[in-house]
Amino acid sequence: MFVATGKSILNGIAIGKIKIYKVPELHISDEPVENTKAELERFEDARLKAQAYQKKLYQKALDESGEDTAAVFDVHAMMLDDDDLIDAIKEIIGNQHRPAEYAVKKACANQAKVFSDMDDPYLRERSADVIDIGQCVIDVLTGTDNATLQGTEPSILVAKDLAPSETVKLDKKLLLGFVTAEGSTNSHTAILARSMNIPALVQAGEIKDDWDGKMGVIDGYNSCFYVDPPADLLKSLKKRQEEDARKVALLTELKGKSNTTIDGKTIKVYANIGGPSDIGVVQQNDAEGIGLFRSEFVYLNSHNYPTEDEQFEAYRHVAETMAPKKVIIRTCDIGADKTVDYMGLEKETNPALGLRAVRICLTRKVFFKTQLRALLRASYYGNIGIMFPMIISLRELRECKDLLNECSKELIAEGKKINYVEVGTMIETPAAVLIADELAEECDFFSIGTNDLTQYTCAIDRQNAKLEPFLDIHHPAVLKEIQMTIEAGHRHNCWVGICGELGADTSLTETFLRMGVDELSVNPKSILPLRKVIRGIDLSKKQAE
């Protein structure tokens, strides 16, 4: 038996034959060419075909995994329009007289090196995306098709690495799990694996060709990959896999049941979503509503400012489909690690503390009013709440509300039908916590964004993997801030929810219930496990230490 250790992407067990995913090496000539005009035409044709292909991958990922997962391919399509990259490729073809394939490979490698040398871990990961789009163009130029590399029977795929486009092309029916020698837990490939709910291991070290066809087991719980495990180990891992399957089956029995503790306290459990395509999984997991609808998908998936009508149709679809359940839509949260070229945002030294979210909206009021009008129009078709992100002052909240009222009056004057909307704010900075009493007087609800609240309270960049040893996601200061926010909200008849990742942390569920939280909004797949925990809590008894 051989044991490889790496970093687990998903807790779970995968058992099956190993299939080595090995893309044949393609020899790309760097010999000079005479007809550079023909090479430039070949490149442009391949670029457009590769761009169209990325859009097909976007649709496939959208249908299978949802908006958050699919967004990478929309970004890939936009990267193929990047002037700097296109100019670099054309320079190599036109001035160096090199073939289109070589020019694409060289220019993309140079651009990827720029990303990989950056300090920001998120941007470092984007180097893989540049290589991926370059390979897509090269595949078009060379007529390469690697579709058959997965094999014909269900297996554990083992590869040096997998690009996002390779991962989304995989046939799920033939994929038990995958192991890569390289990769990262923060890569888009890892995100795709989690969304597909398959065990995966990255950074597993050297891969040997003679593993092909042998029995393999991914143990996501212990971050191990076993090649040819002995019978007794295989038996115990199969037993764990069967236990996991039984747990999934038991969770489905909780559909339709209330989120009520043993002693009778009921709490709302809502879902966080990234776009309209996530509604199916929300309904499958029996969410009581949507507690965080990230409206920035409208902007990230557009090549120009989305119109009022375009936004209205997206919001209306979600509101109408979920009605009469509550849908809380967060206004535009562009900025920091989410940017779009057409907005012309300047690069900042510290974007997490820069011009983002409501700060952009209040400096571009025409832009902001377009979204607010669309949201108000959509309110007629369902039960919508509007939530403002990154509020740190009463002045900002009042300014947002004034603009919302202005839009309401305009729409009514135009004869448009709108409904009453609850108005709330995210609590995601220590500043907002400390003025929560003042904010609560003017809000219907609070939603605590624990991801940013933890980042700003602990002064730790949550994108920086090097800081993981210093990050305590259960930091007592953060828990105190949550308690303070809940108490302040309740003093002013303002209900309080949690929409950050701590909301799905079942080790804190009882703590949050004892604090008096009214709602938890989580990833749709966390709803039933959370319901199971809630129904097993007895608040009449003293909480265990």
Side-chain angles (χ1 to χ4, degrees):
M1 176 180 73
F2 179 85
V3 183
T5 58
K7 292 187 177 180
S8 178
I9 300 301
L10 182 79
N11 287 341
I13 307 289
I15 301 173
K17 284 186 178 180
I18 297 169
K19 175 64 181 174
I20 302 293
Y21 183 89
K22 199 170 185 180
V23 178
E25 280 198 33
L26 186 67
H27 175 69
I28 293 178
S29 172
D30 64 351
E31 291 297 317
V33 294
E34 291 184 10
N35 192 346
T36 57
K37 181 181 178 182
E39 290 301 300
L40 287 167
E41 289 174 353
R42 285 183 66 230
F43 161 65
E44 184 60 19
D45 180 64
R47 182 184 73 84
L48 294 174
K49 287 179 178 176
Q51 196 170 52
Y53 184 59
Q54 293 298 319
K55 290 176 180 177
K56 286 182 181 177
L57 291 180
Y58 168 83
Q59 193 58 52
K60 186 175 189 293
L62 186 67
D63 294 340
E64 294 179 354
S65 307
E67 190 73 41
D68 282 358
T69 305
V72 60
F73 300 106
D74 201 42
V75 172
H76 281 192
M78 288 190 284
M79 288 170 78
L80 285 166
D81 272 332
D82 183 77
D83 289 338
D84 290 338
L85 183 60
I86 292 171
D87 289 346
I89 293 168
K90 288 181 175 179
E91 169 73 17
I92 296 171
I93 295 172
N95 291 343
Q96 298 181 30
H97 295 268
R98 293 296 188 267
E101 294 89 339
Y102 174 82
V104 172
K105 183 176 181 180
K106 182 69 174 173
C108 287
N110 290 342
Q111 187 64 49
K113 179 71 165 57
V114 171
F115 279 113
S116 65
D117 288 343
M118 289 182 175
D119 293 331
D120 189 316
Y122 176 84
L123 292 175
R124 280 202 304 270
E125 295 296 343
R126 304 295 67 82
S127 64
D129 295 314
V130 179
I131 296 297
D132 195 7
I133 61 165
Q135 189 59 52
C136 186
V137 177
I138 291 170
D139 287 346
V140 175
L141 286 165
T142 58
T144 304
D145 183 2
N146 297 320
T148 61
L149 293 175
Q150 194 176 353
T152 57
E153 61 178 327
S155 59
I156 293 174
L157 212 60
V158 178
K160 181 180 178 182
D161 202 359
L162 286 168
S165 58
E166 289 175 315
T167 309
V168 81
K169 282 189 290 186
L170 297 173
D171 186 341
K172 284 187 183 180
K173 297 191 293 294
L174 301 177
L175 188 65
L176 302 174
F178 69 74
V179 177
T180 62
E182 300 172 359
S184 160
T185 56
N186 296 316
S187 69
H188 283 131
T189 298
I191 294 168
L192 285 163
R194 281 191 284 267
S195 71
M196 292 191 294
N197 204 33
I198 55 171
L201 205 66
V202 298
Q203 299 179 25
E206 184 184 359
I207 289 168
K208 298 179 180 177
D209 290 344
D210 64 1
W211 292 355
D212 200 67
K214 291 182 177 179
M215 177 60 67
V217 180
I218 299 173
D219 179 357
Y221 295 101
N222 296 301
S223 301
C224 293
F225 177 54
Y226 303 100
V227 180
D228 267 348
D232 57 341
L233 177 60
L234 187 61
K235 183 178 179 181
S236 67
L237 289 168
K238 280 184 177 177
K239 185 178 179 182
R240 180 67 187 269
Q241 189 182 45
E242 289 165 359
E243 287 173 0
D244 287 348
R246 279 195 295 272
K247 286 178 182 176
V248 170
L250 285 171
L251 285 176
T252 60
E253 295 178 11
L254 291 171
K255 286 186 178 181
K257 296 187 177 178
S258 66
N259 301 300
T260 303
T261 62
I262 292 170
D263 58 306
K265 178 179 173 61
T266 299
I267 185 172
K268 296 172 183 173
V269 178
Y270 288 176
N272 297 336
I273 67 170
S277 61
D278 293 335
I279 294 176
V281 71
V282 169
Q283 293 174 329
Q284 287 169 13
N285 288 278
D286 199 29
E288 293 178 274
I290 292 172
L292 172 60
F293 177 12
R294 303 178 181 94
S295 69
E296 51 269 20
F297 88 94
V298 176
Y299 305 93
L300 293 170
N301 294 335
S302 179
H303 296 293
N304 207 336
Y305 289 101
T307 66
E308 180 183 319
D309 284 343
E310 287 170 340
Q311 295 192 55
F312 161 67
E313 290 298 336
Y315 306 145
R316 171 183 172 172
H317 172 64
V318 176
E320 209 166 36
T321 306
M322 291 297 297
K325 294 179 178 179
K326 173 75 72 181
V327 176
I328 295 174
I329 302 176
R330 180 175 69 189
T331 59
C332 180
D333 193 12
I334 290 292
D337 61 341
K338 299 187 290 281
T339 60
V340 287
D341 290 340
Y342 61 80
M343 290 186 70
L345 298 173
E346 295 180 4
K347 290 185 179 179
E348 297 178 291
T349 304
N350 195 340
L353 299 180
L355 193 64
R356 58 171 295 196
V358 80
R359 297 169 184 176
I360 293 175
C361 294
L362 292 179
T363 54
R364 302 186 181 194
K365 292 183 179 178
V366 173
F367 160 81
F368 193 24
K369 284 183 65 177
T370 299
Q371 179 176 37
L372 295 178
R373 283 173 58 93
L375 288 168
L376 287 167
R377 286 171 60 192
S379 70
Y380 180 74
Y381 299 90
N383 183 7
I384 281 180
I386 295 176
M387 178 164 65
F388 302 119
M390 282 298 291
I391 294 288
I392 63 166
S393 71
L394 195 56
R395 177 192 63 80
E396 291 172 348
L397 175 60
R398 285 175 175 168
E399 203 169 338
C400 289
K401 290 179 68 177
D402 287 345
L403 285 171
L404 186 65
N405 289 333
E406 190 178 313
C407 291
S408 297
K409 291 174 182 176
E410 289 175 359
L411 290 168
I412 291 169
E414 293 168 16
K416 300 283 197 312
K417 295 179 179 179
I418 62 174
N419 272 346
Y420 169 78
V421 293
E422 282 194 330
V423 175
T425 181
M426 290 191 73
I427 303 294
E428 46 194 336
T429 67
V433 173
L434 293 172
I435 61 164
D437 275 292
E438 290 90 337
L439 294 174
E441 286 185 339
E442 304 207 14
C443 284
D444 296 302
F445 66 91
F446 284 158
S447 191
I448 304 171
T450 58
N451 301 355
D452 270 335
L453 183 59
T454 302
Q455 172 176 242
Y456 294 131
T457 299
C458 298
I460 285 183
D461 179 0
R462 58 192 174 106
Q463 299 280 358
N464 191 337
K466 292 179 182 177
L467 296 177
E468 283 185 16
F470 301 97
L471 178 62
D472 177 7
I473 60 171
H474 294 175
H475 197 291
V478 176
L479 297 180
K480 284 180 181 177
E481 287 175 323
I482 293 171
Q483 177 78 73
M484 289 166 64
T485 302
I486 294 169
E487 290 173 354
H490 289 174
R491 278 194 290 270
H492 303 279
N493 297 315
C494 172
W495 64 265
V496 184
I498 295 174
C499 65
E501 288 187 19
L502 287 187
D505 186 338
T506 53
S507 69
L508 288 174
T509 304
E510 183 172 347
T511 298
F512 291 150
L513 289 174
R514 289 183 182 277
M515 287 180 179
V517 73
D518 302 293
E519 174 250 17
L520 296 170
S521 189
V522 298
N523 180 295
K525 292 178 182 176
S526 297
I527 288 168
L528 294 177
L530 185 57
R531 180 171 296 167
K532 184 177 188 301
V533 170
I534 291 168
R535 290 172 64 86
I537 292 171
D538 188 347
L539 297 174
S540 66
K541 295 181 179 179
K542 185 178 179 181
Q543 185 174 12
E545 295 294 333

